[in-house]
Amino acid sequence: MEGLRNTVCETRVYTEEVKTHEHAYGQLTFPLEGSMCLDTPSESVLLQKGSCLYLPPACSHSFSSPGRNRFLVLDIPSRFLSDVTGKGGAAVTLKMDDRWKSLSQLFLREAEEAPNGEASHPVEHLVRYACGILPKSASPSLEYLQLHFAEPLTTTQLAAIEHYHPKYYIAWFKKMTGHTPTSYILQLRMNAAKQLLRETALPVSMIGQEVGYAYAGSFIKLFSRSEGMTPQQYRRGFR
DNA sequence: AGATCCCGTAGGAGTGTTCG
DNA sequence: CGAACACTCCTACGGGATCT
């Protein structure tokens, strides 16, 4: 349709591996065949049938798959996402309930009918509906964490962002995320470190600094506890 | 029910040293 | 020289009590 090409959304099918990248638009991914491992700074997600994944704009990520897979990917321009999880936020895994199953079938039909990625008016309406049922904006402190996990952070600072007492903030944070602020930050840092170990030749001490540890000793100890191996062993195992 | 405070404990962060 | 280890200090966390 004239004027809508590559501007509203793009639907396509993935079968290849994709290296770390980010983009200005949001993305919905529906598994069709096989499974796929998605890495973001905050988590690693194994995506397979029964769930779908929402990636907010500017969320750094990479895909990999142990075997053949097929995924439907829907690019969503940020103008559709004003009240959804904010720029640079975390990926969200969604259970494929009846609404998402129906939506994925409709998106798939569109992809098959317009394999060049051209979007139609009906797709625009579907996208608006999908955005309406996506999770709403994360809290300010969670969004702050996503962007500043490599900086020195205290729960007092984070509590101040939410205007809570630090003690109450920890309980509130745990209710929101299932983690304490410290373990959540640790998870963010370890995922970022694993990505750097896999994709760069930077020395371990440098990677520790990159993800927020001034001392290599602290980084190695925490990495070993978290992953069951030292950073060097992780890098060797990956290569 | 939501928010704050006190206190004891576990574990995270920093530092120095050893090892390969 | 970079990685790993051992140790100390301090902060985060949890439990329980209290206040609004």
Side-chain angles (χ1 to χ4, degrees), chain A residues 193-206:
Chain A
K194 283 191 281 184
Q195 194 175 327
L196 288 170
L197 285 165
R198 289 196 303 268
E199 297 175 4
T200 72
L202 286 172
V204 170
S205 57
M206 193 74 83

Side-chain angles (χ1 to χ4, degrees), chain A residues 19-230:
Chain A
K19 297 230 179 276
T20 300
H21 64 287
E22 61 181 58
H23 26 66
Y25 48 84
Q27 211 167 49
L28 263 171
T29 305
F30 301 96
L32 301 174
E33 287 173 36
S35 62
M36 175 168 70
C37 186
L38 178 128
D39 288 314
T40 71
S42 60
E43 60 187 337
S44 293
V45 178
L46 179 66
L47 189 60
Q48 50 197 350
K49 268 201 163 177
S51 59
C52 61
L53 185 90
Y54 168 66
L55 271 171
C59 177
S60 172
H61 61 283
S62 63
F63 301 107
S64 62
S65 170
R68 178 181 161 70
N69 63 47
R70 201 163 152 262
F71 282 80
L72 175 65
V73 179
L74 174 71
D75 294 345
I76 309 174
S78 55
R79 62 193 168 88
F80 287 90
L81 299 165
S82 54
D83 64 343
V84 183
T85 299
K87 188 180 176 184
V92 182
T93 310
L94 303 158
K95 190 173 181 296
M96 283 287 272
D97 59 16
D98 290 342
R99 291 179 306 180
W100 285 112
K101 278 180 193 165
S102 305
L103 278 170
S104 66
Q105 283 163 12
L106 291 167
F107 284 133
L108 181 60
R109 191 179 304 169
E110 276 296 321
E112 287 167 350
E113 287 175 5
N116 58 355
E118 229 174 88
S120 63
H121 273 312
V123 170
E124 181 168 344
H125 292 309
L126 287 175
V127 169
R128 286 193 192 286
Y129 177 75
C131 291
I133 61 175
L134 280 171
K136 301 305 176 206
S137 293
S139 69
S141 63
L142 277 170
E143 291 192 353
Y144 185 85
L145 267 180
Q146 298 290 334
L147 297 171
H148 302 276
F149 66 85
E151 297 169 17
L153 291 168
T154 62
T155 47
T156 309
Q157 271 178 275
L158 296 167
I161 294 173
E162 302 287 351
H163 305 291
Y164 285 151
H165 184 276
K167 180 65 203 295
Y168 180 71
Y169 177 74
I170 292 165
W172 173 86
F173 191 95
K174 207 169 177 184
K175 200 169 142 189
M176 288 278 290
T177 66
H179 298 275
T180 63
T182 312
S183 72
Y184 189 80
I185 291 168
L186 176 73
Q187 198 182 332
L188 290 171
R189 288 178 172 178
M190 289 303 123
N191 282 326
K194 283 191 281 184
Q195 194 175 327
L196 288 170
L197 285 165
R198 289 196 303 268
E199 297 175 4
T200 72
L202 286 172
V204 170
S205 57
M206 193 74 83
I207 290 176
Q209 285 177 16
E210 284 291 316
V211 301
Y213 297 103
Y215 294 88
S218 300
F219 170 60
I220 291 165
K221 186 171 78 172
L222 291 169
F223 189 96
S224 304
R225 196 178 301 163
S226 164
E227 305 302 321
M229 65 183 88
T230 65

Side-chain angles (χ1 to χ4, degrees), chain A residues 5-19:
Chain A
R5 186 184 172 94
N6 294 329
T7 58
V8 175
C9 64
E10 182 186 335
T11 51
R12 61 180 181 274
V13 172
Y14 264 125
T15 55
E16 75 271 29
E17 291 188 7
V18 179
K19 297 230 179 276

